[in-house]
Amino acid sequence: MNIGIDRLSFHTSNYFVDLKTLAKARSVDAEKYYVGIGQEKMGIPSPDEDVVTLAASAAYPLMQDGELDDVELLLFATECGIDQSKAAGIYVHGLLEMSARCRTVELKQACYSGTAGLQFAIGFVARNPDKKALVITSDIARYELGSPGEATQGCGAVAMLISANPRLVAIEPESGYYTDDVMDFWRPNYRSEALVDGKYSTRVYIHALLESWKQYAEESGRALDDFDRFCYHIPFTKMAEKAHQKLARKLGIPIEKKEMQALLEESLRYSRLTGNCYSASMYVGLTSLLDTSEEDLAGKRIGLYSYGSGCVAEFFSGVIQSGYREFLYTEQHRNLLENRIELTYQQYEDIFNYGVPTDGGEYVFPQYKTGPFRFSGISQHKREYESLVD
Ligand code: HMG
């Protein structure tokens, strides 16, 4: 029995900053961002958007299509938890009017937790082949203003329906994984921006790739040329390209730039426009690949590399199913990305500094352009959400 991703839907904020604007404000050559790290825009969440609204908006098309009716497991992956106790997924469960007969929990391990969710969901479906799971990855990448990480900020969420006989991607059983206790990137509970040892983090990302590939290759007996495409975790698109080059070189098959672009480019298109989406990043890459590849990818094998700082990494693979294009939300994703509103530098800084009040008072947030749900305010330390659809 094949198990894997049956539907896949993505959402990001309706606001962005062009990295040319940031470059000007920071007196940096814009080519450093556009070419050096391979990023063009960063998605900026409005004050009435958070990981809950991004997640619920990502899953909304599945709700409209009646795909959530028989979901009995909701796994919410994020590193931007909004509460130390209550899982953010419970708010999403409510907004999406899902059945009470459902297990709901939040998962955390930096950018890796979505992959943990996917693998746990596959285990659930293996035991209950007639049941479905919903895995949502949702994050907002924030670094200090003026820091090296600033240009890699972004936000986004991906909702994945996991089932037997999936219509999009069957996930193969072999996997290579790797854990190491390192401080490359972290965010103590009292901070709203991540701390990062940037250059070190890029080296750990690559080391963890080589280690997890080793186990995957031993288990599967596959080599790099058994893959038609690759989707990497994408903190910035250049990182994915560099990692693939390193892996190929390590395996003794150095790769030309053109050849590498053919393997990776389609998966990097959305991320170049959204920025890092932490736990959602690799799945934004997968959505981008499926949505934008001109080639019919049915029957093609893709290699997936998930990395979460701290760190945990996993290399695994999936095979794209025939007829997959019929079940994508390509048009919705294109409309979203094409109709975002550009922020000036000052607007960006104002939104960045807006902050969530912590004094237990009554607050109603101004209404920005969001998806179908918004974070409307706070009352007595309780977050309030509003559905903008009937
Ligand atoms: P930096 O140190 O300011 O940048 O920030 P740089 O000086 O290394 O320049 C970047 C690249 O631009 C270089 O290319 C320059 O040569 C080039 P490279 O040498 O690397 O090939 N460059 C130019 N190119 C064209 N025209 C120019 C120009 N100027 C320079 N004029 C850094 C880079 C990665 C440190 C920073 O972005 C950062 O701290 N980012 C955050 C950390 C990060 O993303 N790490 C990635 C691995 S860890 C990870 O993926 C996990 C994560 O997602 C978190 C999680 O798991 O939750 C982050």
Side-chain angles (χ1 to χ4, degrees):
M1 177 180 61
N2 280 335
I3 305 177
I5 304 170
D6 189 54
R7 302 299 301 267
L8 187 68
S9 170
F10 147 78
H11 189 75
T12 186
S13 160
N14 281 290
Y15 297 89
F16 73 91
V17 173
D18 195 303
L19 289 181
K20 286 180 183 150
T21 306
L22 185 70
K24 198 166 167 217
R26 301 284 173 254
S27 306
V28 165
D29 181 354
E31 292 295 287
K32 173 173 175 180
Y33 300 150
Y34 267 61
V35 179
I37 60 168
Q39 291 299 120
E40 294 176 15
K41 297 181 168 124
M42 50 185 193
I44 303 296
S46 55
D48 59 347
E49 191 94 89
D50 69 1
V51 288
V52 168
T53 61
L54 289 168
S57 299
Y60 182 66
L62 275 63
M63 177 197 181
Q64 282 183 306
D65 288 350
E67 303 279 15
L68 304 183
D69 298 347
D70 44 4
V71 167
E72 293 193 19
L73 175 67
L74 168 53
L75 296 173
F76 187 102
T78 188
E79 58 181 286
C80 298
I82 52 166
D83 193 287
Q84 295 284 14
S85 298
K86 179 168 171 167
I90 298 177
Y91 294 97
V92 175
H93 177 278
L95 290 170
L96 297 174
E97 298 170 10
M98 291 171 69
S99 162
R101 186 169 290 183
C102 184
R103 291 182 182 131
T104 302
V105 76
E106 184 171 313
L107 302 171
K108 178 178 70 183
Q109 187 355 75
C111 302
Y112 169 74
S113 57
T115 298
L118 172 63
Q119 296 291 10
F120 298 164
I122 288 171
F124 170 79
V125 174
R127 185 158 186 171
N128 308 280
D130 54 334
K131 294 184 180 172
K132 293 181 181 169
L134 178 64
V135 177
I136 310 184
T137 59
S138 181
D139 264 313
I140 296 167
R142 257 173 84 92
Y143 297 91
E144 278 177 3
L145 294 177
S147 69
E150 184 184 23
T152 68
Q153 292 178 127
C155 65
V158 174
M160 295 179 273
L161 190 67
I162 310 304
S163 74
N165 305 316
R167 289 170 285 183
L168 300 182
V169 185
I171 300 298
E172 295 182 300
E174 301 85 5
S175 232
Y177 27 81
Y178 175 80
T179 292
D180 194 10
D181 182 1
V182 291
M183 293 302 279
D184 61 331
F185 167 106
W186 67 106
R187 183 164 70 83
N189 285 344
Y190 49 82
R191 286 184 60 99
S192 60
E193 290 89 38
L195 294 164
V196 61
D197 189 342
K199 298 280 184 207
Y200 175 57
S201 73
T202 62
R203 291 197 297 276
V204 182
Y205 175 113
I206 288 170
H207 178 72
L209 167 65
L210 302 180
E211 290 298 314
S212 43
W213 164 265
K214 207 189 291 171
Q215 185 191 357
Y216 175 87
E218 278 163 18
E219 277 191 15
S220 67
R222 294 187 191 111
L224 271 197
D225 59 8
D226 288 315
F227 294 86
D228 301 287
R229 297 289 191 284
F230 291 87
C231 285
Y232 279 81
H233 167 57
I234 313 168
F236 48 93
T237 64
K238 240 338 177 6
M239 182 75 244
E241 292 179 353
K242 281 192 168 181
H244 193 70
Q245 264 167 345
K246 276 267 160 65
L247 178 61
R249 211 174 301 143
K250 178 86 184 171
L251 299 176
I253 33 169
I255 188 167
E256 296 287 326
K257 192 166 179 202
K258 221 170 158 191
E259 195 189 337
M260 191 186 55
Q261 278 178 335
L263 293 168
L264 264 67
E265 170 54 26
E266 297 136 331
S267 72
L268 305 179
R269 289 175 179 159
Y270 285 178
S271 293
R272 205 169 276 131
L273 308 177
T274 62
N276 195 351
C277 304
Y278 289 163
S279 61
S281 286
M282 191 189 76
Y283 298 97
V284 172
L286 177 60
T287 312
S288 176
L289 169 65
L290 298 179
D291 279 356
T292 71
S293 178
E294 281 168 22
E295 187 186 342
D296 183 349
L297 297 174
K300 306 281 184 199
R301 173 174 292 115
I302 39 175
L304 297 141
Y305 175 62
S306 179
Y307 175 77
S309 282
C311 72
V312 181
E314 182 160 344
F315 191 99
F316 61 111
S317 57
V319 176
I320 301 179
Q321 302 298 286
S322 69
Y324 72 99
R325 280 177 160 154
E326 249 185 86
F327 301 101
L328 297 174
Y329 293 105
T330 309
E331 203 51 42
Q332 266 142 286
H333 300 153
R334 190 176 303 133
N335 280 339
L336 172 67
L337 288 170
E338 282 176 2
N339 292 301
R340 294 186 302 166
I341 298 161
E342 181 170 359
L343 298 173
T344 62
Y345 178 78
Q346 195 51 53
Q347 287 170 326
Y348 155 61
E349 214 181 87
D350 291 346
I351 288 180
F352 186 95
N353 290 323
Y354 195 87
V356 174
T358 56
D359 62 2
E362 306 284 318
Y363 294 93
V364 176
F365 297 153
Q367 184 156 2
Y368 286 75
K369 186 180 175 199
T370 62
F373 307 102
R374 76 180 208 101
F375 173 27
S376 54
I378 290 202
S379 168
Q380 297 174 7
H381 294 295
K382 294 175 195 159
R383 286 191 179 224
E384 294 182 340
Y385 293 97
E386 187 183 346
S387 172
L388 304 171
V389 285
D390 295 330

